[in-house]
Amino acid sequence: MLPVVAIVGRPNVGKSTLYNRLVGGRLAIVDAQAGLTRDRLYGRADWGGREFLVVDTAGLDRQARGEIEENTRRGTMTAIEEADVLVFLVDVRAGVTAVDHEVAELLRKGKKPVLLSANKAESQRDPGYLHELFELGFGEPVAISAQQGTNVGDLLDLVIERLPAAEPEAAEEEDLATSVTILGRPNVGKSSLLNAILGDERSMVAAIPGTTRDPVDTEVDLEGRRVRLVDTAGIRRKGVTKGGIEHYSVLRGLKALERADVVLLVIDASEGVLLQDQHIAGYAADAGKGVVIVVNKWDLLEPEERDDKAWRQKIDRSFQFLPGAPVVYASAKSGRRVEDLLPTAMAVADARKRRIPTGEMNRLLRDALASHPPPMHRGKQPKVMYAAQGKERTPTFVFFVNDPDLLHFSYKRYLENRIREVYGFAGVPLRTVFRRRGEEK
């Protein structure tokens, strides 16, 4: 396991900005609004040859009230317990506040190495209230500018000194984790499903649409296979987002989709399949990702509404572009079929990796042509000579023909369906490419 460095402090001192600086990308949402980071964010960082995990946490404010604030505090406390080193970030321009003192007392009880860092020290001529920070009891503060990167290297040198000794590794392990991203509209129970899968409160849950703003990564072991789970903010349709923070959250969700192998598309059983559910599934299909449809909140339906056959027909009509996508009727609240989600996702991931040898592919093609030859078009006979699977991660099949314009789209769909009949690919978008013979390259 990599050592963990958690960035803690009161709201709006620049924790997410420092996190972005350390992990080398804008992974956390940064905005002038206090209290923006709600869920823990994990990212890998490397300094001086040591690799470690960095955790961005929500701002600690004991005076805050309400369900979200309480859950936020518990999530941050979990991050503190997991950490090997804590970076206590304060705002040098604001000086020491009562909340800073409360955070300091909390960190002392944790008995973990603490590095005090004074952020927003952009001006060397104006030290701000640097002298006040000694009263927090953590020694000399490291004055930095997370925004500009000033002295961040000095802070990292001190972090490395306090990390536990590195364990020797026999060989560098290739990252073979399968990435499973949880997508859906706001408030359909994505975070609750993630928590049910993991058996803890890894992502904050509250009965308020839009609670999760940043994608949240967690790695788990499933019978010896590594699975990376990503919870995301709810994706609203265009024109509904209010801009600013919520806009960035949607972008984070779509970027999380880009690095997914499989998507767990969560829909609300009590609301049925909505147009936005289809739009989100369309994003996944266009990106070439495997899809498992999760009908959550199954326990809220009346017994007469729990007709699997009727639901299957409804889903097949609504998601025609995802033929045969697996469907799991689940309940995060009761735990119904939660244990089926990851095995189903891994089956789809395996199907997405399936490779069909060229010889088998052409035997399938000959059988398909014999059963149903392509119809004439404008007095000309289309001819499909041979086919092969491409090297793309999304299963792609290239057919070489005498003239691609002669093939009607319905016949192209027929060939795709024959591939599915023989090899499955349930829940996996297939791409078919038709090239004129001689255009192999």
Side-chain angles (χ1 to χ4, degrees):
M1 295 291 293
L2 293 176
V4 176
V5 177
I7 306 170
V8 296
R10 62 180 176 82
N12 211 29
V13 295
K15 297 183 297 299
S16 294
T17 304
L18 178 59
Y19 171 86
N20 290 339
R21 172 71 59 180
L22 298 186
V23 301
R26 291 183 59 83
L27 301 181
I29 302 172
V30 180
D31 191 271
Q33 177 181 331
L36 183 58
T37 302
R38 292 171 172 174
D39 292 311
R40 287 169 283 151
L41 288 179
Y42 290 73
R44 291 173 181 254
D46 183 283
W47 185 258
R50 286 296 306 273
E51 189 176 14
F52 52 94
L53 291 176
V54 183
V55 186
D56 181 23
T57 65
L60 286 167
D61 184 355
R62 286 183 153 181
Q63 303 303 315
R65 294 291 183 269
E67 184 180 6
I68 286 181
E69 287 75 16
E70 177 60 29
N71 287 342
T72 294
R73 273 196 296 275
R74 281 190 286 150
T76 298
M77 291 305 300
T78 300
I80 292 173
E81 292 171 4
E82 294 174 355
D84 297 290
V85 175
L86 300 167
V87 175
F88 179 15
L89 202 62
V90 296
D91 184 346
V92 72
R93 296 183 301 191
V96 176
T97 68
V99 178
D100 289 326
H101 276 292
E102 291 181 355
V103 174
E105 184 62 28
L106 195 65
L107 297 182
R108 271 190 286 271
K109 292 179 180 178
K111 298 181 180 180
K112 299 287 183 71
V114 177
L115 281 169
L116 178 62
S117 184
N119 192 29
K120 306 184 183 180
E122 282 82 12
S123 174
Q124 295 182 352
R125 292 179 297 179
D126 180 11
Y129 294 93
L130 191 64
H131 60 285
E132 289 188 0
L133 305 185
F134 286 88
E135 67 185 63
L136 291 172
F138 293 106
E140 182 175 358
V142 182
I144 69 167
S145 170
Q147 183 71 41
Q148 298 179 2
T150 307
N151 295 334
V152 172
D154 295 339
L155 175 64
L156 286 172
D157 287 340
L158 296 174
V159 167
I160 296 301
E161 289 178 6
R162 287 160 175 76
L163 288 179
E167 297 182 2
E169 296 182 3
E172 184 176 347
E173 183 182 359
E174 184 181 356
D175 185 2
L176 298 177
T178 299
S179 182
V180 178
T181 297
I182 304 173
L183 288 181
R185 294 181 290 106
N187 212 34
V188 293
K190 299 182 298 298
S191 295
S192 297
L193 276 173
L194 174 64
N195 294 340
I197 292 171
L198 298 177
D200 71 2
E201 296 185 358
R202 172 65 181 80
S203 186
M204 185 182 61
V205 180
I208 303 172
T211 296
T212 302
R213 289 171 171 167
D214 293 294
V216 180
D217 288 16
T218 304
E219 282 197 8
V220 299
D221 181 274
L222 182 68
E223 298 180 351
R225 300 180 66 177
R226 290 170 55 199
V227 183
R228 182 177 300 111
L229 282 164
V230 184
D231 183 21
T232 63
I235 298 180
R236 303 175 188 269
R237 66 181 184 274
K238 291 181 179 179
V240 174
T241 57
K242 299 177 181 179
I245 297 166
E246 195 167 342
H247 171 69
Y248 293 129
S249 298
V250 173
L251 293 181
R252 296 298 189 275
L254 294 179
K255 285 189 175 182
L257 170 63
E258 291 175 7
R259 56 192 176 94
D261 296 301
V262 179
V263 168
L264 294 180
L265 173 63
V266 185
I267 64 177
D268 187 332
S270 63
E271 296 180 348
V273 180
L274 302 186
L275 185 60
Q276 184 60 3
D277 297 322
Q278 297 172 284
H279 288 163
I280 297 170
Y283 294 145
D286 290 344
K289 310 302 181 181
V291 177
V292 175
I293 298 172
V294 183
V295 184
N296 191 30
K297 305 184 184 180
W298 191 253
D299 54 310
L300 298 183
L301 298 182
E302 297 297 331
E304 61 272 13
E305 298 176 307
R306 301 174 190 174
D307 186 330
D308 289 8
K309 184 177 180 179
W311 270 93
R312 182 76 243 192
Q313 291 175 346
K314 183 189 306 182
I315 287 171
D316 287 344
R317 288 194 305 269
S318 301
F319 302 104
Q320 295 181 20
F321 49 89
L322 290 171
V327 182
V328 179
Y329 305 101
S331 169
K333 185 176 181 180
S334 69
R336 183 186 195 274
R337 295 197 65 186
V338 169
E339 72 279 2
D340 294 338
L341 295 177
L342 289 189
T344 304
M346 295 304 285
V348 172
D350 290 341
R352 188 167 177 260
K353 295 176 183 176
R354 183 171 296 140
R355 300 282 306 173
I356 302 176
T358 301
E360 289 187 23
M361 186 66 207
N362 282 283
R363 282 194 291 273
L364 181 151
L365 176 60
R366 287 195 296 270
D367 291 343
L369 293 173
S371 300
H372 179 38
M376 297 278 289
H377 181 72
R378 296 179 181 176
K380 295 182 180 181
Q381 179 65 51
K383 295 181 180 179
V384 185
M385 285 75 164
Y386 61 98
Q389 184 174 355
K391 297 180 180 180
E392 294 81 0
R393 295 191 68 179
T394 300
T396 302
F397 300 93
V398 184
F399 295 86
F400 295 96
V401 300
N402 60 337
D403 187 348
D405 294 335
L406 297 180
L407 281 176
H408 193 268
F409 77 89
S410 60
Y411 196 80
K412 296 177 181 179
R413 178 60 59 86
Y414 162 72
L415 292 176
E416 176 184 331
N417 290 338
R418 286 301 297 262
I419 295 173
R420 290 188 181 277
E421 287 173 11
V422 176
Y423 292 102
F425 290 107
V428 180
L430 301 185
R431 291 175 178 166
T432 54
V433 178
F434 294 84
R435 293 179 180 170
R436 191 183 302 272
R437 186 173 185 178
E439 296 179 348
E440 284 84 355
K441 296 183 179 180

